[in-house]
Amino acid sequence: MSLVPPGVMGYCDRVSYRPGDTVRLAVSTTAARWSAELVRLRALAIPSAGVERRQERVGALAPIGGDGIDQRTAVGSYVRVDDLPGAGPDGLVVALAAMPTRPGAGAQDLLAHGRPEQGSGWAVGLDGDGRFVLRVATAQGAGKLRSEERGDEAGARRPPGAPASEASATYPAGLVEVAAGPVAQAGCWYELTATVGGRAGSEVALTVAPAGTFEANHAVRRPEPPSTSRAALAAAPVPATGPLFWARAGGGTAGNGDGARAGGGDTGEAVRPYDGRIESPVVVGDATATGSRAELASHRALLAHWDLAAAIGRAGIGDTGLVRDVGPRGLHGTAAHHPQRAVRSSGWTGDVTDFRFAPEQYAALHFHRDDMTDCGWRFQGEAVLPPDLPSGVYAWELTDSDGARDTVPVFVAPPAGTATAPLLLVLPTNSYLAYGNDHVGVDSPRTQVWSQMVPTLDDFELFRDARRELGYSLYEAHADGSGVCYSSWRRPLLTMRERAYDHNAPVWQFTGDMQLVDWLDRTGREVDIVTDHDLHAEGAGLLGRYRTVLTGTHPEYPSLEILEAYEEYVGHGGRLVYTGGNGMYWVTGYDPRDDQVIEIRRWGGTQAWLAEPGEYHLGFTGQLGGIWRFRGRAPQKTFGVGFVAAGNPGASAGYRRVAADPAVAWVFAGLTGQTFGGYGVAGGAAGLEIDSASPPLGTSADAVVLATSVGHGDDMLEARENFNMTSRVLGGARNPRVHADLVLVPREGGGAVFSTGSIAFAGALYDLGGRAEISRLLGNVLDRFSSGLPVFDTPA
């Protein structure tokens, strides 16, 4: 009996479409056949609230299908360089700096040209114990290793039982291997120089020297002189003929069958993957060449010098997949799965913390064996959306011949340059990416304490949890402890399925936003649907076609372009309804070459991990990361409220009306009591993550706080950035700052913002037990905003 049930899953080639576009679908299943039909999603099921799924098939589009393929995802970032010459009669020298982050976690290759164990090429890497090694394939015979500088400590790996004084070892026929230096220390820099002679009787040698500034290394090391090990070649090296790989052994191919992409997938399994950093390698086609890396880079026989500082400009790193060779041959590399850029290299001094202004101090890539930004699956099916297809939330309903099912969302915007409804809903797809395939609720005991429950894993959750190769969320860490800062749409996002367990709430992110879609549909309000990706690309011109715009429930990850679009829209008479909490929070950037991939750097906020010192700036854009509040764009300035606290559903609460001004009484038309909203799918209308007004952070003087939440428990905890010292009084039961505010903000030209201050607000739109005040209140706001009437009534 298998503990991991089989299943079907898929993803589309991008996040957002328009009528007439071609949608491509990649599917993986162990069944013999699969089929998919396009449906329009009206509502997703919420069993705890008695909400049933509502959908309708798109009849104008025939189902698609194909043979089942159990598609594989190869993970691990790397760089591929084609056309590097193999070692010729003159031999070669390879020089680089490296900072391993998981020495001892198996054999790892830093640079590999060919596969020495299989009879060709050379590789510089780490052995299973964490020592640096050079391996070279020769035509025949056994290699004899001898140590010339520091005896056995610097030299050979002894055969089992050999005396400690023995300074040589015999290796399998054709393979020569030398190891130098002590076991590498995680997080510390080393300068490596590997020499490969070109003829029989010449030598191979590896020199390892401690490197890096005090600031660049994670720990203080005892002084160590350079260590060199050498071995005689009984036969000439066998040149490699394939690509050079960084951070893995050779073998795979970049791309996914549809053409290589920057950051794209690799259909081959990673061999000897590396965790750590590599700084600006140099390869010289002359084994007699000596000197530092800088000196080798100017040698007459230079084959390649990949200067990782060369890609850095004032706007960040414009071509994220290009690893530039500044040597005479232009042997540029292609990076796959987004090795992290804008990271400190060995020369970082701590004086400059913005990589754009000291490129030479950020001339490194950080590789992780669990990086993944493109599954690289084969796209098996495609369909052209009907030209008259209404804007909305759609999905491929996938089934396979074994009875497994999956739902793959498809977001359809209106035709370019048009509005087809009076309202616009902007779905926060960046947040979907940030939380995509989140395993925190299963992996973290702290999160289970937070939610006060042990996760219950049904067949779907077992299936999802077993698919770790589909990549991580931005709330998780890599195996070496560094935070995950990139997320991609080029993979199945199983957290967007209505069956997904989430430790935060019964509904979250996409499933939470479908509560808005459901309510708008049930109340007969026509609405266009767009995504963060659309708004980032088109800006305020997109919003300006609509009298009223709604956000999703948790628009936590806006780009600068998105924030500017919202501000320009309301500043020129637009009317905006912010229906969530913890919104407009993290600085987010898009890959300039692939907008299906986003980046963040966490610091200064309520965060799952902390970026390394000097690495707070986004490589994609050069912008300072962290939270927008520390960039002068606190959400209170545009939206009237900003993040104040977070808690589990049991800490949710209702609102109490505080505004007595008759000019805003229209907001509460049909509500009979002073308190309302103490119910909802997530416990209460004010809950999960909540926002409040704050004049010191930018809430305008003419903003009106309409209502404030009351009754939060101590499980609703104040955000860490709101207090400067440790406090015993963080929870809502004793902390007066822990509350959500309903706020109305008037703007020039008739513009206005209405903010709910709560993620859980949409969960109270359902008529639960005859309580529908939140539905009436939101209806009042949308009707007033769309009518064009002033937001303040004038006295009779």
Side-chain angles (χ1 to χ4, degrees), residues 316-317 320 338-343 355 430 433-434 474 484-488 557-559 586-592 594-602 609 615-623 625-626:
I317 299 170
T320 57
H338 285 80
Q340 189 175 348
R341 307 192 93 155
V343 296
F355 70 96
N430 287 351
L433 284 180
L474 298 182
V484 177
C485 66
Y486 303 124
S487 185
S488 171
Y557 290 87
S559 66
W586 289 108
V587 177
T588 305
Y590 288 79
D591 185 334
D594 183 359
D595 67 1
Q596 305 302 297
V597 182
I598 62 171
E599 177 189 16
I600 63 164
R601 301 291 175 102
R602 294 195 190 276
W609 50 264
E615 298 178 7
Y616 291 177
H617 286 256
L618 276 60
F620 288 169
T621 65
Q623 298 169 357

Side-chain angles (χ1 to χ4, degrees), residues 370 436-437 439 468 470-474 476 478 484 486-487 491:
D370 50 9
N437 295 338
H439 307 96
R468 299 295 178 110
L470 301 181
Y472 295 107
S473 72
L474 298 182
E476 297 170 271
H478 294 289
V484 177
Y486 303 124
S487 185
R491 55 181 176 145

Side-chain angles (χ1 to χ4, degrees), residues 217-240:
N217 285 301
H218 281 208
V220 176
R221 294 173 289 184
R222 63 187 179 90
E224 291 278 355
S227 171
T228 299
S229 295
R230 293 183 171 87
L233 292 174
V238 178

Side-chain angles (χ1 to χ4, degrees), residues 668-694:
F668 301 101
L671 278 70
T672 58
Q674 290 296 107
T675 60
F676 57 93
Y679 56 89
V681 169
L688 302 183
E689 295 181 3
I690 58 176
D691 296 3
S692 66
S694 175

Side-chain angles (χ1 to χ4, degrees), residues 141-157:
K144 286 290 186 178
L145 177 72
R146 72 178 188 276
S147 172
E148 294 190 344
E149 292 195 358
R150 299 182 60 209
D152 180 69
E153 181 179 355
R157 185 185 338 240

Side-chain angles (χ1 to χ4, degrees), residues 249-539:
T253 57
N256 64 352
D258 297 306
R261 260 195 306 267
D266 177 4
T267 56
E269 293 296 325
V271 178
R272 301 172 69 98
Y274 169 63
D275 289 293
R277 299 186 179 187
I278 293 175
E279 177 184 317
S280 297
V282 175
V283 180
V284 176
D286 182 354
T288 66
T290 59
S292 66
R293 262 189 302 144
E295 292 168 333
L296 290 171
S298 61
H299 195 279
R300 58 175 177 74
L302 178 69
L303 296 179
H305 174 205
W306 296 282
D307 182 0
L308 295 172
I312 296 173
R314 291 301 172 89
I317 299 170
D319 195 337
T320 57
L322 177 67
V323 177
R324 186 177 301 279
D325 172 23
V326 298
R329 298 172 182 251
L331 301 177
H332 308 309
T334 300
H337 290 314
H338 285 80
Q340 189 175 348
R341 307 192 93 155
V343 296
R344 301 165 301 160
S345 52
S346 65
W348 187 66
T349 66
D351 293 330
V352 179
T353 57
D354 185 339
F355 70 96
R356 298 172 297 168
F357 297 96
E360 71 286 351
Q361 297 185 33
Y362 290 85
L365 296 176
H366 191 146
F367 299 89
H368 305 91
R369 70 181 65 194
D370 50 9
D371 282 329
M372 205 291 290
T373 54
D374 188 343
C375 275
W377 292 357
R378 182 189 309 172
F379 288 100
Q380 297 174 265
E382 64 179 43
V384 178
L385 298 177
D388 58 349
L389 188 69
S391 176
V393 178
Y394 294 82
W396 287 114
E397 276 293 285
L398 270 174
T399 58
D400 67 21
S401 53
D402 288 343
R405 309 182 67 87
D406 189 24
T407 300
V408 182
V410 177
F411 305 120
V412 179
T418 68
T420 59
L423 301 177
L424 177 70
L425 173 60
V426 182
L427 294 176
T429 45
N430 287 351
S431 291
Y432 304 165
L433 284 180
Y435 287 87
N437 295 338
D438 179 10
H439 307 96
V440 175
V442 174
D443 291 350
S444 172
R446 292 179 60 189
T447 305
Q448 294 174 30
V449 171
W450 166 272
S451 61
Q452 299 184 14
M453 59 185 292
V454 174
T456 302
L457 304 184
D458 60 11
D459 282 358
F460 175 78
E461 283 301 328
L462 289 171
F463 174 81
R464 182 173 81 84
D465 189 61
R467 267 61 186 186
R468 299 295 178 110
E469 77 278 6
L470 301 181
Y472 295 107
S473 72
L474 298 182
Y475 288 81
E476 297 170 271
H478 294 289
D480 67 1
S482 57
V484 177
C485 66
Y486 303 124
S487 185
S488 171
W489 205 260
R490 302 190 187 282
R491 55 181 176 145
L493 294 175
L494 300 181
T495 42
M496 293 181 65
R497 309 323 192 227
E498 66 184 338
R499 289 183 60 192
Y501 159 79
D502 194 278
H503 64 276
N504 293 285
V507 288
W508 189 254
Q509 298 298 326
F510 172 61
T511 55
D513 291 332
M514 282 302 298
Q515 296 171 132
L516 291 171
V517 173
D518 180 17
W519 180 82
L520 290 164
D521 182 65
R522 286 187 291 106
T523 56
R525 289 177 165 83
E526 296 183 357
V527 61
D528 281 345
I529 300 289
V530 298
T531 68
D532 276 347
H533 288 66
D534 299 317
L535 183 53
H536 171 82
E538 299 184 42

